[in-house]
Amino acid sequence: MSGTLYLVPTPIGNLGDISRRCAETLAAADFIAAEDTRVSLKLLNHLELKKPLVSYHEHNKKESGPRILERLLAGERCALVTDAGCPAISDPGEDLVRLCAQAGVTVCALPGPCAAITALSVSALATGRFAFEGFLPAQKKERKTRLERLKSEERTMIFYEAPHRLRDTLAELLAAFGPDRPVSLCRELTKLHEEILRLTLGGAAEYYAENEPRGEYVLVVAGAEQTIEAVSLEQAAELVRELTQTGVRTKDAVKQVAEETGVAKNALYAAIVAE
Ligand code: SAM
């Protein structure tokens, strides 16, 4: 019987955020696959655990992944950790999960720290619907195309960014979404210098023209404002008819459709009674 791959989220800055279940899973694993073994060793030392570590990262995943899979198929338990946060979310892991799933190996994801969700929850922006964008593409042309496509995105958007790229990225976001779009810049979450700046893209560009970006950032950007599509009087009248056929009173249907479409109530009422 094959073993299990455990996805173990690790703290994004505060070692106290490792959960008891994550620590127990690390302790019970036969081996740990780590993005950077030196980083994970610090966590294991903090937990007073000694475990065999193998390296699994962006540049060796093609060779390391099949080796890990072989051990899992032989019945071993592997815990996958990355440098910080949730494995497979904008860091290595996605490919290993797919490899295991395709080979019929059980993958068990533990809940825990994730920079994107931590930032979204503190952003004070709409959280009901959001789009996780991770890192923008490295190539300028691809970044431009990606942002072009996001211009009319109405959901709150979450971006990861490194400090040395922050100013350029803010300039590109500003060009795509305009200076008035609200943004929450979530820096060094859970760390000593945690800072949440709730600004507009214009305000953020001005702020970082004066201040050096430092530390790790998640940018949470408000979605585009909903645009009411232009609806003709005839289309609006049809919506009223549909509503009345479901039993809604004409007066209430006219009121509702007028509010939803922006078509004037009087004109709509006149169109309906003229039938
Ligand atoms: N898988 C991780 C997660 O979802 O939490 C993210 C890994 S990704 C390689 C690293 C990026 O996450 C950083 O460049 C930064 O954008 C964000 N990040 C990680 N820790 C952070 C922190 N403490 N504060 C703000 N952003 C952080």
Side-chain angles (χ1 to χ4, degrees), residues 122-138:
V122 78
S123 68
L125 295 172
T127 61
R129 295 171 68 229
F130 62 89
F132 175 65
E133 289 294 324
F135 291 100
L136 282 167

Side-chain angles (χ1 to χ4, degrees), residues 12 82 84-86 89-91 113-116 135 160-162 186-191 216-218:
I12 57 170
T82 52
C86 197
I89 304 300
S90 283
D91 61 20
C114 176
F135 291 100
Y160 283 163
E161 196 47 281
C186 306
R187 183 170 85 88
E188 295 288 86
L189 290 162
T190 76
K191 299 184 192 175
E216 300 196 271
Y217 286 86
V218 181

Side-chain angles (χ1 to χ4, degrees), residues 182-258:
V183 58
S184 294
L185 300 108
C186 306
R187 183 170 85 88
E188 295 288 86
L189 290 162
T190 76
K191 299 184 192 175
L192 185 64
H193 298 292
E194 173 171 309
E195 179 185 57
I196 316 296
L197 290 178
R198 300 182 183 93
L199 301 167
T200 57
L201 285 171
E206 270 173 37
Y207 179 86
Y208 279 107
E210 303 284 319
N211 298 279
E212 188 71 31
R214 284 207 177 86
E216 300 196 271
Y217 286 86
V218 181
L219 305 180
V220 188
V221 181
E225 278 183 18
Q226 275 186 335
T227 45
I228 297 175
E229 277 181 39
V231 172
S232 70
L233 181 59
E234 183 42 44
Q235 285 168 327
E238 183 55 31
L239 291 173
V240 172
R241 273 180 229 115
E242 283 171 15
L243 276 176
T244 51
Q245 276 160 17
T246 67
V248 178
R249 288 189 311 167
T250 307
K251 192 172 155 229
D252 296 333
V254 165
K255 185 166 178 272
Q256 183 182 327
V257 172

